[in-house]
Amino acid sequence: MSHDFSALLRTPLTERLGCRFPIVQTAMGWVADADLVIATTRAGGFGFLAGATIEAGKLEGEIRKVIEATGGSNFGLNFHMFQENAAQCVDLAIQYRLRAVSYGRGPDKKTIARFKEAGVLCIPTVGALKHALKAVELGADMITIQGGEGGGHTGGVPTTILLPQVLAAVKVPVIAAGGYSTGRGLASALAAGAAGIAMGTRFLMTTDSPTPPATLARYVKVDDPQKVRVTLAVDGMRHRMIENPFIDRLEAASPVGRLLIALKSAWAWKQQTGMSLGHMLGVFRQALKEDPGAVSQTVMSANQPVLLQRSMVEGFPDEGILPSGQVAAAIGELESCADVIHGIAAEAEDCLAALYARLGDETAAGRRADTEAAA
Ligand SMILES: Cc1cc2nc3c(=O)[nH]c(=O)nc-3n(C[C@H](O)[C@H](O)[C@H](O)COP(=O)(O)O)c2cc1C
């Protein structure tokens, strides 16, 4: 008797997000633009626009672009409540009745109630069990857990520990993220009870990604997961990225040295940071009197968008930062979003079919043993 294993890929995620496969393309600053979301949606996945880094004046245009290209609002918007245009993100998600919003530091109960009233699903990303519980209490419709191996800002709990913990503790559907790039990974997440997987790095490393070729080449080249590591040197938070000369210099420097690097990069792109020479010298003098380590961190944090743009938009991978999950080391080539999504779905079905076939084998073996014992 043949079985339709694709039915196992229909989950609360595909039902509620209205997509064909239980595969989410997460938001990534300066990467998850309208084109990436369009490619994901057309291939049957669910994509999030990176609302935290799309300029306020362009955000509505990007939303409309996806709607026009895909014929609907079956995609999501990611934002953080601490960004300047957070209220605009909330209003636009509601106005265009987007299917979902995702966020780290999330909106309050009142804002979540507005989303619910408009039918916009709230899907926060969490890196620890206690954050998952809090998110559910605030009204999350689904939760994405991101294990520590995931890219960008990330927690310290691996996916293999965090996923079962959260699955056991909450009733809403859980999406697994952090380290996924294969159908085997999707099959394992579904078998554990997740509603699907979400991936950042794998979608960044596609031919549909807007990231410049020189920077993408760096992602493809990395083959040692230890070289995709967490640093606190950029903004004091756990930030996973590919090791590069900029990060090495930053980490090796003394507090005063770090301050100089921070100010130098701020100065190099002063048009963007708006830093004058006088201001720069003032910060330096003040820092020497106070705590150069703390001041360099503040300057570096403010610089972060500039450092990200240098590598992710302008294409200078050694001069900025390269946020990435460890899974980049397991990805050897760029593929289209469609190939990634369809390949993962097909491999997951094969895995689940193989698991089921084992049951058949064991049943047959059991029958043989019973027959032999009876004889
Ligand atoms: C280049 C890059 C940029 C990211 N930017 C954001 C962001 O702006 N907002 C956010 O919530 N998560 C961001 N993340 C985290 C991803 O959305 C996602 O949760 C993570 O990549 C999942 O782990 P994976 O990389 O192993 O797939 C970023 C990740 C990467 C790799």
Side-chain angles (χ1 to χ4, degrees):
M1 184 173 139
S2 75
H3 293 275
D4 175 16
F5 288 96
S6 67
L8 292 176
L9 303 192
R10 288 197 283 280
T11 72
L13 185 159
T14 56
E15 272 163 36
R16 302 191 69 184
L17 295 183
C19 52
R20 186 168 163 214
F21 301 110
I23 298 174
V24 172
Q25 165 253 302
T26 64
M28 290 169 281
W30 284 286
V31 178
D33 62 0
D35 290 331
L36 190 68
V37 174
I38 290 167
T40 300
T41 313
R42 285 185 174 152
F46 188 87
F48 279 97
L49 273 176
T53 54
I54 297 170
E55 268 173 52
K58 297 193 174 145
L59 186 56
E60 186 167 5
E62 287 287 282
I63 291 174
R64 293 176 73 108
K65 186 172 170 183
V66 183
I67 293 175
E68 275 153 31
T70 61
S73 44
N74 245 16
F75 60 96
L77 179 67
N78 173 267
F79 67 98
H80 299 286
M81 280 318 272
F82 53 79
Q83 75 189 64
E84 241 172 70
N85 65 332
Q88 183 204 21
C89 292
V90 173
D91 290 346
L92 286 175
I94 290 173
Q95 180 189 335
Y96 286 95
R97 296 281 191 274
L98 300 189
R99 188 62 81 120
V101 287
S102 70
Y103 41 82
R105 205 171 303 171
D108 55 15
K109 269 191 173 161
K110 219 166 112 195
T111 310
I112 290 176
R114 280 183 65 205
F115 283 131
K116 283 184 185 290
E117 211 171 294
V120 179
L121 296 170
C122 294
I123 314 182
T125 303
V126 302
L129 175 61
K130 67 176 181 192
H131 297 148
L133 296 173
K134 181 76 190 163
V136 171
E137 187 199 316
L138 283 170
D141 297 291
M142 294 189 211
I143 298 272
T144 300
I145 64 102
Q146 179 177 326
E149 54 272 68
H153 287 109
T154 199
V157 189
T159 303
T160 44
I161 296 176
L162 187 58
L163 178 62
Q165 265 187 324
V166 174
L167 281 168
V170 304
K171 293 208 164 56
V172 298
V174 177
I175 304 166
Y180 291 97
S181 70
T182 64
R184 292 176 196 276
L186 172 57
S188 70
L190 293 175
I197 56 169
M199 303 183 293
T201 304
R202 178 64 271 197
F203 280 104
L204 159 73
M205 295 175 71
T206 59
T207 51
D208 296 299
S209 162
T211 310
T215 301
L216 280 179
R218 189 59 61 89
Y219 279 80
V220 173
K221 197 169 159 218
V222 69
D223 58 4
D224 177 357
Q226 304 300 322
K227 302 265 182 210
V228 189
R229 58 185 179 77
V230 166
T231 182
L232 301 177
V234 175
D235 58 5
M237 290 190 278
R238 291 174 52 87
H239 206 165
R240 192 177 286 288
M241 52 190 65
I242 298 176
E243 211 171 68
N244 70 352
F246 180 80
I247 287 302
D248 289 344
R249 255 187 299 133
L250 195 62
E251 289 184 332
S254 66
V256 174
R258 249 182 222 190
L259 177 62
L260 281 173
I261 295 172
L263 287 172
K264 199 173 145 215
S265 59
W267 178 248
W269 304 301
K270 61 184 183 308
Q271 266 107 333
Q272 286 184 51
T273 56
M275 187 177 261
S276 71
L277 180 61
H279 179 71
M280 186 169 144
L281 289 173
V283 171
F284 188 62
R285 263 199 306 272
Q286 189 67 17
L288 290 182
K289 273 198 262 159
E290 293 169 15
D291 175 359
V295 177
S296 69
Q297 203 134 84
T298 309
V299 178
M300 198 58 84
S301 277
N303 264 353
Q304 204 173 175
V306 175
L307 295 174
L308 275 165
Q309 284 181 74
R310 191 70 182 151
S311 43
M312 307 307 283
V313 180
E314 293 164 21
F316 296 96
D318 288 343
E319 296 175 24
I321 55 180
L322 304 166
S324 174
Q326 286 188 286
V327 74
I331 300 172
E333 59 176 343
L334 306 178
E335 287 178 45
S336 67
C337 281
D339 285 348
V340 165
I341 291 174
H342 299 155
I344 288 177
E347 190 182 74
E349 277 181 41
D350 288 348
C351 281
L352 295 167
L355 201 59
Y356 184 79
R358 277 190 48 205
L359 185 65
D361 290 347
E362 273 163 28
T363 312
R367 267 201 304 269
R368 264 199 311 277
D370 288 348
T371 317
E372 277 161 22

